[in-house]
Amino acid sequence: MINIAIDGPAGAGKSTIAKAVAKSLRIIYLDTGAMYRATAYFALQNNIAVNDADAVAKMFENFNMDIVYEDGAQQILVNGLNTTPYLREHYMSKAASDISALPVVRYKMVDLQREFAKTHDVVLDGRDIGTFVLPDANCKFFMTATPEERANRRYKELLEKGQEVDYDTLLKDIIQRDYNDSHREVAPLKQADDAVLLDTTNMTIDQVIEAVKKVVEEKVKLEKNEPSGLVPFGKPSSEIPPETMKRIKTYYKSPKGFGLYRFLRVLLRPLQCILWPTKVINKENAFKFEGGLYLCNHYSTFDSLIPIFTMFKKEAHILAKYELFFNPLAGGILHKMGAIPVRRGEADTEAVKAVFRVLKDDKKLLMYPEGTRNKQGTQDMAELKTGAARFAIKMKKPIVAMVYFRPTKTFHKNYLYVGEPFTLEEFYGARTNEEFHEATEVIRRHFDEAREGVNAYVEGLKKKKSKKDKK
Ligand code: DC
């Protein structure tokens, strides 16, 4: 499991950074502060004083906390009641700080957090994650900023929300919470010896995210946790033995070599229909052009099969991670199937050349612009990589954005929506990173439209069904 700990005082920007990092790694974010807030909320609701250890211990006799995710957003249920909407009120900060000082509360929350981290890849933010909850976390950060800067950030945030606040009161509260959090008896706020210190006083959010991501990339070998799948990222070439590198030639098969592909495709199509029956919505969009980029959200190995069976009739070209070619038999078959091996962590010029040839020959290329699988299974997509935009612009090729309604489920009806084809014509000739990022934004918008399309379709089906049921 990947566990990333971000600790620090109130208002240091931990949650913004933890959320962004979790999103870009496609893993879950756990806001542990919200757990203390939810506990405090429940106590207040039941007229229990947040500093009365005995009363709170008694409260725990009938107390059940569940952490669930709705559309990727954390929700904390206490005895079945969703407390999330009430936790960010100003008075809750002080109550949470007080209740979190009670050892009985800390032990309870820490147990829950450890259990959660055992079963999830997760970025946790809090006060004691690196020192106490998860001393063996893969990566630890201690994020801080001066109390004045933190008060200032909070001041601006509340003003934006339209709340009347006094800067001096905020500063006083922050100093008081720092004192409470760092002077309590059990697991006080403090930097772990092996945590990376980030003083964000003079840093922008983007700078902090970059700094965190850099450390995470160096320390966490994400590929170990990545089950094999047709995704373009795998081992960095520095870790691939030279003999293997020599054997695996990245090439683009000429169309003559696709006999086996077509044969297997026809043979296995009924199996696909049984195992992963899929309604492809607006399938005609896939055939409005000959060669171009088919971009898709990606949950599992199997979801790459559906475009192969439904859209890539004569030949398929998919970017696949290099390790899938390590086994000579599997690698040979994949080559025959037109897959292009891609190495991670470098500008894989061979793969890029192969992609250019595919597009130059007006063939179809299936790519996952998120660069990896979505392990959360939500509809949210990670930040898109700029590769697809670069290819489409350089080769002046059309794009379709395709969206699965949800992760492919065996023996269940799946839905894949094919968006209207579009080009990035306004960016032809682009050279700068900024332009490629802007073009990628256009792609993202098309994904958003396709997602709305698939949701509306499924919603329509549900309505029809409930009407029928009523009759
Ligand atoms: O991060 P936050 O402001 O939502 O946290 C609320 C309070 O909970 C904070 O004052 C200290 C406490 N807390 C804690 O003691 N340990 C954690 N891991 C997270 C929060």
Side-chain angles (χ1 to χ4, degrees):
M1 285 291 143
I2 302 167
N3 292 164
I4 298 170
I6 304 185
D7 289 308
K14 298 181 304 277
S15 67
T16 311
I17 303 304
K19 261 186 218 157
V21 171
K23 188 167 185 196
S24 97
L25 298 176
R26 312 254 55 181
I27 62 180
I28 285 174
Y29 159 58
L30 179 65
D31 171 0
T32 63
M35 297 169 70
Y36 291 96
R37 286 171 183 264
T39 310
Y41 176 78
F42 189 75
L44 295 180
Q45 285 295 303
N46 289 285
N47 295 321
I48 293 168
V50 288
N51 51 8
D52 183 341
D54 292 338
V56 173
K58 196 147 193 313
M59 172 183 102
F60 277 153
E61 285 170 13
N62 179 19
F63 178 96
N64 185 35
M65 181 176 278
D66 287 309
I67 299 164
V68 296
Y69 288 81
E70 267 174 28
D71 291 332
Q74 171 182 309
Q75 311 289 323
I76 301 200
L77 312 187
V78 179
N79 291 355
L81 176 85
N82 191 353
T83 60
T84 317
Y86 317 107
L87 305 182
R88 307 309 309 178
E89 299 292 336
H90 188 55
Y91 69 91
M92 287 306 308
S93 303
K94 172 80 171 67
S97 183
D98 286 344
I99 211 163
S100 75
L102 302 179
V104 65
V105 173
R106 296 216 73 77
Y107 289 124
K108 177 121 191 143
M109 295 303 121
V110 169
D111 278 352
L112 288 173
Q113 289 154 14
R114 286 188 181 144
E115 196 50 45
F116 194 89
K118 236 193 262 169
T119 46
H120 296 83
D121 289 330
V122 58
V123 182
L124 303 92
D125 75 355
R127 305 290 188 285
D128 58 343
I129 310 299
T131 49
F132 188 65
V133 182
L134 303 169
D136 294 327
N138 314 61
C139 265
K140 297 179 188 176
F141 297 90
F142 192 81
M143 202 171 279
T144 184
T146 59
E148 290 75 17
E149 171 63 17
R150 288 185 277 133
N152 196 22
R153 288 179 193 168
R154 187 83 186 119
Y155 179 72
K156 283 190 191 148
E157 188 188 320
L158 291 174
L159 270 196
E160 266 168 33
K161 283 190 193 156
Q163 294 184 23
E164 280 279 314
V165 274
D166 170 43
Y167 171 84
D168 291 332
T169 314
L170 281 180
L171 181 60
K172 218 173 94 213
D173 283 357
I174 282 201
I175 293 172
Q176 179 65 49
R177 275 175 74 196
D178 283 0
Y179 183 87
N180 279 3
D181 294 347
S182 44
H183 285 82
R184 64 173 172 241
E185 189 187 323
V186 185
L189 167 68
K190 112 169 174 271
Q191 183 182 344
D193 294 337
D194 52 349
V196 176
L197 174 67
L198 284 170
D199 183 344
T200 68
T201 308
N202 296 310
M203 287 171 91
T204 63
I205 291 176
D206 285 344
Q207 285 170 332
V208 184
I209 294 174
E210 273 319 300
V212 170
K213 270 168 69 177
K214 205 162 154 232
V215 176
V216 171
E217 270 159 27
E218 275 164 19
K219 289 204 174 179
V220 183
K221 290 271 169 283
L222 282 171
E223 61 274 21
K224 278 196 189 139
N225 296 284
E226 177 87 60
S228 68
L230 294 179
V231 295
F233 295 116
K235 263 186 203 294
S237 54
S238 55
E239 288 180 21
I240 303 171
E243 321 79 74
T244 315
M245 289 269 274
K246 244 193 199 154
R247 189 170 49 76
I248 302 172
K249 292 260 178 300
T250 300
Y251 59 89
Y252 151 64
K253 280 294 277 171
S254 75
K256 270 185 268 129
F258 281 86
L260 175 67
Y261 168 76
R262 283 175 216 159
F263 174 71
L264 286 179
R265 197 179 153 270
V266 173
L267 194 75
L268 298 177
R269 167 83 165 141
L271 198 64
Q272 178 253 307
C273 292
I274 294 168
L275 290 179
W276 300 286
T278 304
K279 166 74 187 163
V280 182
I281 306 149
N282 295 345
K283 187 165 156 189
E284 65 283 1
N285 284 341
F287 300 102
K288 285 189 178 159
F289 56 86
E290 193 51 47
L293 289 141
Y294 289 68
L295 308 183
C296 197
N297 63 343
H298 185 40
Y299 294 108
S300 75
T301 311
F302 306 115
D303 58 31
S304 37
L305 296 175
I306 293 162
I308 286 181
F309 285 115
T310 54
M311 296 165 210
F312 289 64
K313 296 209 161 141
K314 293 188 212 136
E315 59 182 275
H317 296 283
I318 296 180
L319 291 182
K321 70 174 170 188
Y322 207 76
E323 288 92 313
L324 294 177
F325 295 77
F326 280 10
N327 175 306
L329 180 67
I333 294 175
L334 275 170
H335 265 315
K336 275 222 170 305
M337 298 294 164
I340 299 168
V342 187
R343 288 187 299 265
R344 174 178 174 259
E346 62 178 291
D348 187 339
T349 45
E350 282 176 77
V352 171
K353 265 193 229 153
V355 169
F356 281 144
R357 285 213 41 199
V358 167
L359 294 176
K360 189 160 170 268
D361 286 357
D362 219 15
K363 307 290 182 201
K364 299 182 194 313
L365 180 86
L366 177 61
M367 252 182 100
Y368 305 111
E370 294 169 278
T372 184
R373 290 187 317 116
N374 175 349
K375 296 187 199 102
Q376 288 174 314
T378 60
Q379 285 200 329
D380 261 3
M381 286 180 82
E383 199 180 307
L384 305 186
K385 311 260 183 255
T386 55
R390 287 171 198 265
F391 290 138
I393 291 169
K394 181 116 204 270
M395 300 308 290
K396 304 195 166 117
K397 289 291 170 190
I399 301 175
V400 281
M402 311 195 296
V403 168
Y404 279 101
F405 176 60
R406 53 149 194 247
T408 34
K409 271 198 192 165
T410 318
F411 300 123
H412 278 74
K413 188 82 169 185
N414 297 293
Y415 299 93
L416 175 63
Y417 188 97
V418 187
E420 222 8 90
F422 63 98
T423 64
L424 295 173
E425 210 173 334
E426 65 272 34
F427 294 96
Y428 289 171
R431 300 191 88 91
T432 65
N433 280 341
E434 212 177 8
E435 288 168 307
F436 293 129
H437 277 288
E438 269 175 45
T440 305
E441 230 355 83
V442 174
I443 297 179
R444 170 171 283 282
R445 284 205 291 278
H446 282 270
F447 269 110
D448 290 343
E449 274 170 30
R451 189 173 315 104
E452 276 167 29
V454 78
N455 286 346
Y457 183 88
V458 175
E459 199 49 41
L461 285 185
K462 268 193 213 153
K463 275 197 192 133
K464 253 194 220 159
K465 188 169 175 297
S466 73
K467 249 193 204 161
K468 234 195 209 164
D469 289 349
K470 266 188 204 151
K471 274 184 199 164

